[in-house]
Amino acid sequence: MRKIIFTGLGILLIVISIFLSKVIIDSKKTFKPKSEKVVKTVFTEIVENSTIQIVVTANGNLTAKQRVELYAEVQGVFKKGSKLFKEGQAFRQGEAIINIDADEYAASVQSAKSNLFNQLTAVMPDLRLDYPDIYSKWQGYLTNFDMSKSTPALPEMITEKEKFFISGRGILTSYYNVKNLEQRLLKYRIVAPFSGVLIEALVTEGTLVRVGQKLGEFINPEVYELEVAISKTYADLLKVGESVELTNLDDDTKYKGKVSRINGSIDQASQTVKAYIEVDNKDLREGMYLEANLDAKKEENAIEIDRGLLLEGNRIFVVRDSVLDIIDVDPVYFSDKRVVLKNVPNGVTIMSKPLSGAYTGMAVKIYSEQPENNKE
């Protein structure tokens, strides 16, 4: 009897546990969280078309407007001068930059001048006898002939007889030979064509200088030029003499310059035109990197927005009844960060800052700043 009772109780417990488990399973409900619709906030502005000044930005390095590369046209030993031939050394206009030893060549010049003087002296008796009317003219030339100075120009020969006589005695040949030697003698001394500073020195005093050897480079440190490349679209809008603002990107210092020259040809590779901007300032140095802002054109009935707002296909987002839409626009100029647009209707609300994940039909909320409470 006890076994029967325990067996019955066990079966009853199994039945009850199965029933309870089924009740619990049936009573379990799955709660799904409701997804909240997120409405993103956008920054907007109302379109007001106006006249936009298109500023073409270009940059480059400064170079001296006046610069001379110094080359040797003669050979000799570089003599020490009154100033050292070193980089950074300043020279005034007309002051000797380089002196090459010319003692030997100067002696040959004096020899040629002496030969010319002897030829003139030899023809004087014949001139007195055959051409007494021109004798005094040549006698005066011979009297003023100074061996220590540059050879003076020969007296003007008026008649053909005088020309034939002087030429037949070899005087003209000797004279032009002397003048040629004197011109070459001047090349042993290189003078400053303008006041400036030496920026490159490739030789030192006492070294042998050879013909065609580069000696250094000399510039005027007061006036510089900035070479910039401008798109051919705006090249015809630039004018010589137009004022230009230059900016030093290192410290944002502003300088004033003007367009001095514009190249007449277009670079085939880049389709740009080179313009040269003249600027003078004591704080400038050759090689400085500057950015130029050139006023190229005024665009009527246009707006300027962030370049990131322009979509593919020349479209932009507008906000209509808190929903994003797109309209077609006509971009007329691109800069690094901005774009100038036309054909944007007045009064349209457009996005003023890019929105990640934006799409047509997207519900948005226009951002509006709350006024600050007055603090007492």
Side-chain angles (χ1 to χ4, degrees):
M1 179 63 70
R2 183 179 298 173
K3 290 182 179 180
I4 295 173
I5 294 172
F6 286 151
T7 301
L9 290 175
I11 294 172
L12 181 62
L13 288 174
I14 293 173
V15 172
I16 292 172
S17 62
I18 292 173
F19 177 77
L20 290 175
S21 62
K22 185 176 180 182
V23 171
I24 293 172
I25 292 172
D26 292 340
S27 64
K28 186 177 181 181
K29 295 182 180 180
T30 303
F31 296 94
K32 296 182 178 180
K34 294 183 179 180
S35 59
E36 296 182 1
K37 189 174 182 180
V38 178
V39 179
K40 291 188 176 181
T41 302
V42 294
F43 293 86
T44 62
E45 62 178 293
I46 299 175
V47 172
E48 291 183 7
N49 284 283
S50 60
T51 301
I52 303 297
Q53 176 67 62
I54 294 179
V55 179
V56 179
T57 302
N59 44 57
N61 296 95
L62 287 178
T63 57
K65 186 176 182 179
Q66 291 182 301
R67 66 186 308 113
V68 176
E69 292 186 346
L70 306 175
Y71 285 89
E73 297 183 68
V74 295
Q75 180 171 306
V77 176
F78 187 7
K79 294 174 59 178
K80 184 178 180 180
S82 59
K83 292 183 178 180
L84 291 176
F85 188 76
K86 299 291 184 182
E87 295 178 4
Q89 181 64 59
F91 293 90
R92 297 188 303 274
Q93 183 176 2
E95 191 175 5
I97 301 177
I98 295 172
N99 283 305
I100 300 174
D101 187 5
D103 292 343
E104 182 179 350
Y105 192 81
S108 65
V109 175
Q110 290 298 99
S111 176
K113 290 173 69 174
S114 177
N115 182 54
L116 174 62
F117 185 82
N118 292 337
Q119 286 180 298
L120 289 169
T121 304
V123 300
M124 293 308 294
D126 293 334
L127 282 176
R128 175 179 284 183
L129 294 175
D130 299 334
Y131 305 98
D133 53 332
I134 63 172
Y135 172 78
S136 59
K137 176 175 63 176
W138 286 93
Q139 180 61 42
Y141 178 81
L142 193 62
T143 303
N144 295 323
F145 196 99
D146 191 343
M147 295 291 292
S148 62
K149 296 181 180 179
S150 177
T151 304
L154 292 175
E156 183 180 1
M157 291 172 281
I158 301 174
T159 65
E160 289 187 356
K161 290 182 179 182
E162 182 182 6
K163 293 178 182 178
F164 292 154
F165 179 82
I166 296 299
S167 179
R169 300 303 176 90
I171 294 176
L172 286 180
T173 302
S174 298
Y175 169 77
Y176 287 113
N177 181 50
V178 170
K179 296 302 290 183
N180 180 57
L181 294 175
E182 287 181 339
Q183 287 298 316
R184 189 164 183 80
L185 182 62
L186 295 176
K187 299 182 186 300
Y188 283 83
R189 183 173 181 267
I190 301 177
V191 300
F194 47 80
S195 297
V197 63
L198 200 64
I199 63 168
E200 185 180 30
L202 302 177
V203 293
T204 56
E205 291 85 349
T207 58
L208 177 64
V209 174
R210 301 185 183 279
V211 177
Q213 180 180 352
K214 185 177 180 180
L215 308 177
E217 206 162 338
F218 186 72
I219 69 166
N220 180 357
E222 295 182 357
V223 183
Y224 295 94
E225 278 189 336
L226 180 69
E227 179 186 295
V228 294
I230 306 299
S231 173
K232 66 178 183 179
T233 306
Y234 301 100
D236 57 339
L237 303 175
L238 295 178
K239 305 297 181 184
V240 174
E242 185 176 346
S243 179
V244 180
E245 184 182 77
L246 303 174
T247 306
N248 185 346
L249 299 182
D250 294 332
D251 53 13
D252 291 332
T253 306
K254 306 291 184 182
Y255 303 99
K256 287 293 183 181
K258 64 178 180 179
V259 179
S260 60
R261 293 177 291 129
I262 300 175
N263 199 331
S265 64
I266 296 176
D267 186 276
Q268 295 296 323
S270 61
Q271 290 296 295
T272 58
V273 176
K274 290 183 179 179
Y276 299 87
I277 302 168
E278 182 179 322
V279 57
D280 56 333
N281 191 290
K282 63 180 181 179
D283 297 328
L284 296 175
R285 293 290 184 272
E286 184 169 81
M288 286 181 63
Y289 186 82
L290 298 181
E291 184 178 76
N293 297 316
L294 299 97
D295 295 335
K297 183 182 180 182
K298 290 183 178 180
E299 197 68 56
E300 304 289 340
N301 297 320
I303 64 170
E304 187 177 22
I305 64 172
D306 190 294
R307 190 167 177 172
L309 295 173
L310 184 64
L311 306 176
E312 186 177 355
N314 296 332
R315 298 177 175 183
I316 61 172
F317 279 117
V318 298
V319 180
R320 290 176 176 155
D321 298 328
S322 299
V323 176
L324 289 184
D325 196 4
I326 56 175
I327 60 172
D328 294 322
V329 293
D330 181 18
V332 294
Y333 174 71
F334 291 89
S335 65
D336 292 340
K337 298 180 180 179
R338 309 284 287 176
V339 58
V340 177
L341 305 177
K342 298 196 71 172
N343 296 333
V344 183
N346 278 323
V348 172
T349 302
I350 65 173
M351 283 203 310
S352 59
K353 291 185 180 181
L355 177 64
S356 178
Y359 57 89
T360 304
M362 178 180 182
V364 293
K365 180 175 63 175
I366 296 177
Y367 174 80
S368 59
E369 293 184 350
Q370 296 296 328
E372 294 182 358
N373 295 327
N374 295 330
K375 295 182 180 180
E376 297 182 356

